[in-house]
Amino acid sequence: MRPQIPPLILILGLTPACPLPNAGSSPFTTTVVMLSSAESTSDGPGTTIDEPDTSTSTTAELSTGATSGDTGATTLILDVGADHDLGDGKPVGCKGKIDFLFVISRSAGMEGFQTQLRDAFPKFIDTIEAKFADFNYHIMVVDGDSTWGLASCDAQCPTQCVPGYPCDYTPTYCDTKLGAGTVYPAGDDAANKPCKIDGERRYMMTGQTDLKETFACAAQVGSSGRAWIGEAMTAALHSNTNDPGGCNPDFLREDALLMVTLISNTYDQEGKPNGSTGTPETWAAAVRKAKGDDLRSVVMLNIGDTMVPGCHNEDRVCQMVKLFPFGLTKEIWEDNYGPYFDEATDLVETACADFVPPL
């Protein structure tokens, strides 16, 4: 037969250093936690439920008292100073503060895939915004190449070049730096015009004028370049790029969730002209370092020429995404990327709820 445990009241109080001026002006707050009396004994043969540990070193006094009725419960009263907020035990969450990084290949044949990405973006942003009342965004597009424009056009301007190519534009240092935000895509199938990003930044921020049109411009990076996806991603998140004086100052925020979308129709193969330096492990380590050693503060969406649910042995981007607790790998050949972003939105919501910003 299960032993009957009489009700017990444990009162843990902090004694003030000086006498209180009167009983009605105590500076202390009180939190009451109800514990079932069954939690202090065994729960049948072979099962033991640990008793609350009251041996922790403390300067507080422990005393007992009486209740106004037998509730069959143990009451633990914690009397703590007003400056010590116990909170509700839940993570702070990202509070709608999210940094979005899009890494897009410029390799041949990317035109149609970039169009599908641009088509899916408006609904994706609307859905994210609906989930977070205080949605606060940074959005940056980088391409997988360190060059700007199209070399053949540069050599032959203004003749024998793609329509609309900006022959009179002189690229800046950041235009030619891998990992810098794209603001003037040029070349085959590119926007071939400056994208009107507010504030002369290389990324969009909350309140961006014509956000969806501006993103559509930046994401049309064209099809005359490389697919250094892993290397471009790590370069975009490097402190040298995000620090003051870098190409993307303050894009990456410590107290924001990071979502990275990677899109390429080719593998980022090791040792190939179209391949990044590094490995899936070193790329993931770079992201981890950028986010304070917390991979759970990152959501990865990879849209590639992949073998779902596995990864081709040459598909290093897919292999990297598998290292993240919040990661999706999807097939690039689908006609509509909307469902991909719907899944990613759910992951963002989950990751955001568990997010613990650095102190």
Side-chain angles (χ1 to χ4, degrees), residues 22-85:
N22 57 70
S25 61
S26 171
F28 298 132
T29 59
T30 301
T31 300
V32 180
V33 183
M34 301 296 293
L35 303 176
S36 168
S37 61
E39 291 179 318
S40 60
T41 185
S42 64
D43 190 24
T47 303
T48 301
I49 300 178
D50 293 337
E51 296 182 7
D53 183 7
T54 59
S55 63
T56 304
S57 175
T58 177
T59 58
E61 296 180 358
L62 184 64
S63 62
T64 61
T67 61
S68 58
D70 185 359
T71 62
T74 298
T75 303
L76 180 64
I77 302 180
L78 301 177
D79 201 355
V80 298
D83 291 337
H84 297 78
D85 184 8

Side-chain angles (χ1 to χ4, degrees), residues 94-112:
C94 74
K95 300 184 182 299
K97 188 177 286 189
I98 310 173
D99 298 332
F100 297 93
L101 173 63
F102 292 82
V103 185
I104 306 173
S105 168
R106 283 178 57 194
S107 61
M110 278 296 298
E111 178 187 10

Side-chain angles (χ1 to χ4, degrees), residues 121 137 196 198 204 207-216:
F121 178 80
Y137 62 78
K196 298 178 181 179
D198 295 342
M204 294 150 265
Q208 166 67 45
T209 305
D210 296 326
L211 171 62
K212 292 159 188 176
E213 288 300 319
T214 306
F215 175 83

Side-chain angles (χ1 to χ4, degrees), residues 39-220:
E39 291 179 318
S40 60
T41 185
S42 64
D43 190 24
T47 303
T48 301
I49 300 178
D50 293 337
E51 296 182 7
D53 183 7
T54 59
S55 63
T56 304
S57 175
T58 177
T59 58
E61 296 180 358
L62 184 64
S63 62
T64 61
T67 61
S68 58
D70 185 359
T71 62
T74 298
T75 303
L76 180 64
I77 302 180
L78 301 177
D79 201 355
V80 298
D83 291 337
H84 297 78
D85 184 8
L86 295 180
D88 58 9
K90 297 179 181 178
V92 174
C94 74
K95 300 184 182 299
K97 188 177 286 189
I98 310 173
D99 298 332
F100 297 93
L101 173 63
F102 292 82
V103 185
I104 306 173
S105 168
R106 283 178 57 194
S107 61
M110 278 296 298
E111 178 187 10
F113 306 126
Q114 291 168 19
T115 298
Q116 288 180 206
L117 171 62
R118 299 195 304 271
D119 289 345
F121 178 80
K123 180 178 180 296
F124 168 59
I125 289 298
D126 288 345
T127 303
I128 290 284
E129 191 168 16
K131 288 180 179 290
F132 300 102
D134 299 320
F135 183 39
N136 182 294
Y137 62 78
H138 284 183
I139 301 174
M140 184 167 67
V141 173
V142 304
D143 64 64
D145 203 321
S146 60
T147 64
W148 178 88
L150 184 58
S152 59
C153 279
D154 294 335
Q156 302 178 58
C157 272
T159 61
Q160 298 183 5
C161 195
V162 297
Y165 187 82
C167 290
D168 57 350
Y169 179 73
T170 301
T172 67
Y173 166 77
C174 289
D175 286 333
T176 60
K177 181 172 176 57
L178 190 68
T182 299
V183 298
Y184 201 145
D188 279 327
D189 304 315
N192 287 311
K193 63 180 181 181
C195 303
K196 298 178 181 179
I197 297 177
D198 295 342
E200 298 184 354
R201 294 179 301 270
R202 304 190 78 88
Y203 58 90
M204 294 150 265
M205 290 177 56
T206 303
Q208 166 67 45
T209 305
D210 296 326
L211 171 62
K212 292 159 188 176
E213 288 300 319
T214 306
F215 175 83
C217 174
Q220 192 176 344

